[in-house]
Amino acid sequence: MTVARAGLAIRVVSLYPDVMGVYADRGNMIALVARCLRSGIGCQVTAIGIGDRLPAEADLVLIGGGQDREQRRIAGELAGRGALLREWAEQGAAMLAVCGGFQLFGRSYRTAAGDELPGVGIFDAVTVAPGPGWQRCIGDVLARAEIEGVGEVVGFENHGGRTYLGPRARPFAQVLYGYGNNGDDGAEGALAGAAIGTYLHGSVLPKNPALTDHLLRAALRHRYGDGGAELLALDDPYAERAHRAAAAVARQRGRARAAVRW
Ligand code: GLN
């Protein structure tokens, strides 16, 4: 194992990992830490539970998915911290918000029961769950990321909420297989600066090493300036193989975008 170089470290904030973490989303943290270790970069992780205060600074923020019930538990508190989270995003901190976390990083989420949950507002996006009786968006996803160098991303989605991006948001990726944000417009997730929202579980980072590296580079740049991104050592054949295998499965089993009919 490489020893962390001269105290270099990124500061990672993991929001509500004990509440928001369906479909192995905590694997995202494990992948980030493993990737840092390979590069000899430290990873200081602060896990925030309900009622905990946020630290003063962060280079990378993670939040996973959760069902409506879990989202209801944290939405008010999270929205109350919106000013600091938006400030971090504006200053270029990297962020990854998955599924239920992505929905709450938008403007608002109306649950299947009709409750209006406030969002953090990092993404210009609103999410509405059409309610009981409506088909959920479930299955393997393959999408082409709109971030240079990231290429195709693969994962698994399971959500009732349909997300619609406003004029100030752009999609994270374009759906090739699967539903994405709403099954209609081909958009998957959202981008705002170095913040990424996505419906991809899986967990997403272990099988998308290019995305993991993109987030780590953004976090390093945030902490150490432009040269920081150079600190990352790239070479992880196992993760590359996991990506290729998962992508092949999605092509085989995923629902071709053109076949989505509500
Ligand atoms: N509760 C949300 C929905 O069903 C998010 C689900 C999830 O995070 N998997 O739309």
Side-chain angles (χ1 to χ4, degrees), residues 124-159:
D124 181 17
V126 292
T127 303
V128 176
W134 281 72
Q135 195 182 320
R136 291 179 66 82
C137 305
I138 304 176
D140 296 292
V141 184
L142 188 68
R144 187 168 299 112
E146 300 261 340
I147 301 171
E148 213 189 310
V150 172
E152 288 182 351
V153 286
V154 63
F156 174 78
E157 64 183 331
N158 182 352
H159 52 105

Short mmCIF file of all heavy atoms in Angstrom, two decimals, residues 124-159:
data_model
loop_
_atom_site.label_atom_id
_atom_site.label_comp_id
_atom_site.label_asym_id
_atom_site.label_seq_id
_atom_site.Cartn_x
_atom_site.Cartn_y
_atom_site.Cartn_z
N ASP A 124 -31.00 22.98 -10.80
CA ASP A 124 -32.27 23.57 -11.23
C ASP A 124 -33.13 22.42 -11.78
O ASP A 124 -33.17 22.17 -12.98
CB ASP A 124 -31.99 24.63 -12.31
CG ASP A 124 -33.27 25.29 -12.81
OD1 ASP A 124 -34.29 25.18 -12.10
OD2 ASP A 124 -33.24 25.90 -13.89
N ALA A 125 -33.76 21.71 -10.86
CA ALA A 125 -34.51 20.52 -11.23
C ALA A 125 -35.65 20.31 -10.23
O ALA A 125 -35.49 20.60 -9.05
CB ALA A 125 -33.60 19.29 -11.21
N VAL A 126 -36.78 19.84 -10.72
CA VAL A 126 -37.87 19.45 -9.82
C VAL A 126 -38.23 18.00 -10.09
O VAL A 126 -38.10 17.52 -11.22
CB VAL A 126 -39.14 20.32 -10.00
CG1 VAL A 126 -38.92 21.74 -9.54
CG2 VAL A 126 -39.63 20.28 -11.42
N THR A 127 -38.64 17.31 -9.03
CA THR A 127 -38.99 15.89 -9.17
C THR A 127 -40.40 15.68 -8.64
O THR A 127 -40.75 16.19 -7.58
CB THR A 127 -38.00 15.01 -8.39
OG1 THR A 127 -36.69 15.27 -8.87
CG2 THR A 127 -38.32 13.53 -8.57
N VAL A 128 -41.16 14.92 -9.39
CA VAL A 128 -42.53 14.61 -8.99
C VAL A 128 -42.73 13.10 -9.13
O VAL A 128 -42.41 12.53 -10.18
CB VAL A 128 -43.55 15.34 -9.91
CG1 VAL A 128 -44.97 14.95 -9.56
CG2 VAL A 128 -43.36 16.84 -9.80
N ALA A 129 -43.24 12.46 -8.08
CA ALA A 129 -43.61 11.04 -8.19
C ALA A 129 -45.09 11.00 -8.54
O ALA A 129 -45.91 11.55 -7.82
CB ALA A 129 -43.34 10.33 -6.88
N PRO A 130 -45.44 10.37 -9.65
CA PRO A 130 -46.84 10.42 -10.08
C PRO A 130 -47.80 9.71 -9.13
O PRO A 130 -48.99 9.95 -9.21
CB PRO A 130 -46.83 9.76 -11.46
CG PRO A 130 -45.47 9.26 -11.71
CD PRO A 130 -44.57 9.67 -10.60
N GLY A 131 -47.29 8.86 -8.24
CA GLY A 131 -48.19 8.26 -7.24
C GLY A 131 -48.41 6.78 -7.46
O GLY A 131 -47.90 6.20 -8.41
N PRO A 132 -49.20 6.18 -6.56
CA PRO A 132 -49.41 4.74 -6.63
C PRO A 132 -50.04 4.35 -7.98
O PRO A 132 -50.81 5.10 -8.54
CB PRO A 132 -50.38 4.45 -5.49
CG PRO A 132 -50.51 5.70 -4.70
CD PRO A 132 -49.99 6.83 -5.50
N GLY A 133 -49.69 3.17 -8.45
CA GLY A 133 -50.29 2.71 -9.70
C GLY A 133 -49.43 3.05 -10.91
O GLY A 133 -49.61 2.47 -11.97
N TRP A 134 -48.51 3.98 -10.74
CA TRP A 134 -47.63 4.33 -11.86
C TRP A 134 -46.41 3.44 -11.85
O TRP A 134 -45.91 3.04 -10.80
CB TRP A 134 -47.19 5.78 -11.77
CG TRP A 134 -48.26 6.71 -12.25
CD1 TRP A 134 -49.43 6.99 -11.60
CD2 TRP A 134 -48.28 7.43 -13.47
NE1 TRP A 134 -50.16 7.87 -12.34
CE2 TRP A 134 -49.48 8.16 -13.50
CE3 TRP A 134 -47.38 7.56 -14.54
CZ2 TRP A 134 -49.82 8.98 -14.56
CZ3 TRP A 134 -47.71 8.39 -15.59
CH2 TRP A 134 -48.92 9.08 -15.60
N GLN A 135 -45.94 3.17 -13.04
CA GLN A 135 -44.77 2.31 -13.18
C GLN A 135 -43.53 3.02 -12.62
O GLN A 135 -43.36 4.23 -12.83
CB GLN A 135 -44.56 2.07 -14.67
CG GLN A 135 -43.62 0.96 -15.01
CD GLN A 135 -43.45 0.85 -16.52
OE1 GLN A 135 -44.40 0.99 -17.28
NE2 GLN A 135 -42.23 0.61 -16.94
N ARG A 136 -42.69 2.27 -11.90
CA ARG A 136 -41.42 2.83 -11.46
C ARG A 136 -40.39 2.66 -12.57
O ARG A 136 -40.55 1.82 -13.45
CB ARG A 136 -40.94 2.12 -10.19
CG ARG A 136 -41.79 2.41 -8.97
CD ARG A 136 -41.29 1.66 -7.76
NE ARG A 136 -39.97 2.10 -7.31
CZ ARG A 136 -39.76 3.16 -6.53
NH1 ARG A 136 -40.78 3.90 -6.14
NH2 ARG A 136 -38.55 3.49 -6.17
N CYS A 137 -39.35 3.43 -12.51
CA CYS A 137 -38.26 3.33 -13.50
C CYS A 137 -37.22 2.38 -12.92
O CYS A 137 -36.46 2.78 -12.01
CB CYS A 137 -37.64 4.69 -13.75
SG CYS A 137 -38.84 5.94 -14.23
N ILE A 138 -37.19 1.17 -13.38
CA ILE A 138 -36.33 0.14 -12.79
C ILE A 138 -35.52 -0.55 -13.87
O ILE A 138 -36.09 -0.96 -14.89
CB ILE A 138 -37.16 -0.93 -12.05
CG1 ILE A 138 -38.07 -0.29 -10.99
CG2 ILE A 138 -36.25 -1.97 -11.39
CD1 ILE A 138 -38.99 -1.28 -10.28
N GLY A 139 -34.24 -0.73 -13.64
CA GLY A 139 -33.45 -1.55 -14.55
C GLY A 139 -32.02 -1.05 -14.71
O GLY A 139 -31.58 -0.11 -14.05
N ASP A 140 -31.32 -1.73 -15.61
CA ASP A 140 -29.93 -1.36 -15.89
C ASP A 140 -29.91 -0.12 -16.78
O ASP A 140 -30.76 0.04 -17.64
CB ASP A 140 -29.24 -2.51 -16.63
CG ASP A 140 -29.15 -3.75 -15.75
OD1 ASP A 140 -28.41 -3.70 -14.75
OD2 ASP A 140 -29.85 -4.73 -16.05
N VAL A 141 -28.92 0.71 -16.53
CA VAL A 141 -28.79 1.95 -17.30
C VAL A 141 -27.41 2.02 -17.93
O VAL A 141 -26.41 1.70 -17.29
CB VAL A 141 -28.93 3.20 -16.39
CG1 VAL A 141 -28.89 4.48 -17.22
CG2 VAL A 141 -30.19 3.14 -15.57
N LEU A 142 -27.39 2.43 -19.18
CA LEU A 142 -26.13 2.80 -19.82
C LEU A 142 -26.35 4.18 -20.41
O LEU A 142 -27.36 4.42 -21.08
CB LEU A 142 -25.77 1.79 -20.92
CG LEU A 142 -24.39 1.97 -21.53
CD1 LEU A 142 -23.28 1.64 -20.54
CD2 LEU A 142 -24.23 1.07 -22.77
N ALA A 143 -25.45 5.09 -20.13
CA ALA A 143 -25.64 6.46 -20.59
C ALA A 143 -24.28 7.06 -20.95
O ALA A 143 -23.25 6.61 -20.46
CB ALA A 143 -26.30 7.29 -19.48
N ARG A 144 -24.32 8.05 -21.84
CA ARG A 144 -23.06 8.70 -22.24
C ARG A 144 -22.92 9.99 -21.46
O ARG A 144 -23.74 10.90 -21.60
CB ARG A 144 -23.06 8.97 -23.75
CG ARG A 144 -21.72 9.49 -24.24
CD ARG A 144 -21.59 9.51 -25.76
NE ARG A 144 -21.71 8.19 -26.34
CZ ARG A 144 -22.74 7.79 -27.11
NH1 ARG A 144 -23.72 8.61 -27.38
NH2 ARG A 144 -22.77 6.57 -27.60
N ALA A 145 -21.88 10.07 -20.63
CA ALA A 145 -21.70 11.25 -19.78
C ALA A 145 -21.38 12.47 -20.62
O ALA A 145 -20.69 12.39 -21.64
CB ALA A 145 -20.59 11.00 -18.76
N GLU A 146 -21.87 13.61 -20.17
CA GLU A 146 -21.61 14.88 -20.86
C GLU A 146 -20.34 15.54 -20.33
O GLU A 146 -20.12 16.72 -20.57
CB GLU A 146 -22.80 15.83 -20.64
CG GLU A 146 -24.12 15.30 -21.15
CD GLU A 146 -24.48 15.86 -22.52
OE1 GLU A 146 -23.94 16.92 -22.87
OE2 GLU A 146 -25.29 15.23 -23.22
N ILE A 147 -19.54 14.78 -19.60
CA ILE A 147 -18.28 15.30 -19.05
C ILE A 147 -17.15 14.70 -19.87
O ILE A 147 -17.08 13.47 -20.01
CB ILE A 147 -18.11 14.87 -17.58
CG1 ILE A 147 -19.27 15.37 -16.73
CG2 ILE A 147 -16.78 15.37 -17.04
CD1 ILE A 147 -19.26 14.81 -15.32
N GLU A 148 -16.30 15.57 -20.38
CA GLU A 148 -15.20 15.08 -21.21
C GLU A 148 -14.34 14.07 -20.47
O GLU A 148 -14.02 14.27 -19.29
CB GLU A 148 -14.34 16.28 -21.62
CG GLU A 148 -13.75 16.11 -22.99
CD GLU A 148 -12.74 17.19 -23.26
OE1 GLU A 148 -13.08 18.37 -23.05
OE2 GLU A 148 -11.62 16.83 -23.66
N GLY A 149 -14.02 12.98 -21.12
CA GLY A 149 -13.12 11.99 -20.53
C GLY A 149 -13.82 10.93 -19.69
O GLY A 149 -13.20 9.96 -19.29
N VAL A 150 -15.10 11.13 -19.40
CA VAL A 150 -15.79 10.14 -18.56
C VAL A 150 -16.42 9.03 -19.42
O VAL A 150 -16.47 7.87 -19.02
CB VAL A 150 -16.85 10.81 -17.65
CG1 VAL A 150 -17.69 9.78 -16.92
CG2 VAL A 150 -16.14 11.72 -16.64
N GLY A 151 -16.87 9.37 -20.60
CA GLY A 151 -17.39 8.35 -21.53
C GLY A 151 -18.71 7.75 -21.06
O GLY A 151 -19.54 8.43 -20.46
N GLU A 152 -18.86 6.44 -21.31
CA GLU A 152 -20.12 5.80 -20.93
C GLU A 152 -20.13 5.47 -19.44
O GLU A 152 -19.12 5.04 -18.89
CB GLU A 152 -20.31 4.51 -21.74
CG GLU A 152 -20.64 4.81 -23.20
CD GLU A 152 -20.89 3.57 -24.04
OE1 GLU A 152 -20.65 2.44 -23.56
OE2 GLU A 152 -21.30 3.74 -25.19
N VAL A 153 -21.30 5.66 -18.83
CA VAL A 153 -21.45 5.31 -17.42
C VAL A 153 -22.55 4.26 -17.30
O VAL A 153 -23.51 4.27 -18.07
CB VAL A 153 -21.79 6.54 -16.54
CG1 VAL A 153 -20.58 7.42 -16.34
CG2 VAL A 153 -22.95 7.35 -17.13
N VAL A 154 -22.36 3.37 -16.33
CA VAL A 154 -23.30 2.26 -16.20
C VAL A 154 -23.77 2.17 -14.75
O VAL A 154 -23.05 2.54 -13.83
CB VAL A 154 -22.62 0.95 -16.67
CG1 VAL A 154 -21.43 0.59 -15.82
CG2 VAL A 154 -23.61 -0.19 -16.74
N GLY A 155 -25.02 1.73 -14.56
CA GLY A 155 -25.54 1.60 -13.20
C GLY A 155 -26.92 0.97 -13.21
O GLY A 155 -27.36 0.44 -14.23
N PHE A 156 -27.57 1.06 -12.07
CA PHE A 156 -28.89 0.46 -11.90
C PHE A 156 -29.81 1.53 -11.32
O PHE A 156 -29.42 2.26 -10.42
CB PHE A 156 -28.79 -0.73 -10.93
CG PHE A 156 -30.12 -1.32 -10.58
CD1 PHE A 156 -30.76 -2.17 -11.46
CD2 PHE A 156 -30.74 -1.02 -9.37
CE1 PHE A 156 -32.01 -2.71 -11.16
CE2 PHE A 156 -31.97 -1.55 -9.05
CZ PHE A 156 -32.61 -2.40 -9.96
N GLU A 157 -31.01 1.65 -11.87
CA GLU A 157 -31.95 2.66 -11.36
C GLU A 157 -33.22 2.02 -10.81
O GLU A 157 -33.65 0.96 -11.31
CB GLU A 157 -32.31 3.67 -12.45
CG GLU A 157 -33.05 3.06 -13.63
CD GLU A 157 -33.35 4.04 -14.76
OE1 GLU A 157 -33.50 5.25 -14.52
OE2 GLU A 157 -33.44 3.57 -15.92
N ASN A 158 -33.80 2.64 -9.81
CA ASN A 158 -35.09 2.23 -9.27
C ASN A 158 -35.71 3.43 -8.59
O ASN A 158 -35.40 3.74 -7.46
CB ASN A 158 -34.92 1.08 -8.27
CG ASN A 158 -36.27 0.62 -7.73
OD1 ASN A 158 -37.32 1.23 -8.00
ND2 ASN A 158 -36.27 -0.46 -6.97
N HIS A 159 -36.56 4.14 -9.32
CA HIS A 159 -37.17 5.34 -8.76
C HIS A 159 -38.57 5.54 -9.30
O HIS A 159 -38.85 5.21 -10.46
CB HIS A 159 -36.31 6.58 -9.04
CG HIS A 159 -35.93 6.78 -10.48
ND1 HIS A 159 -36.52 7.74 -11.28
CD2 HIS A 159 -35.03 6.16 -11.28
CE1 HIS A 159 -36.00 7.68 -12.50
NE2 HIS A 159 -35.08 6.74 -12.53
#
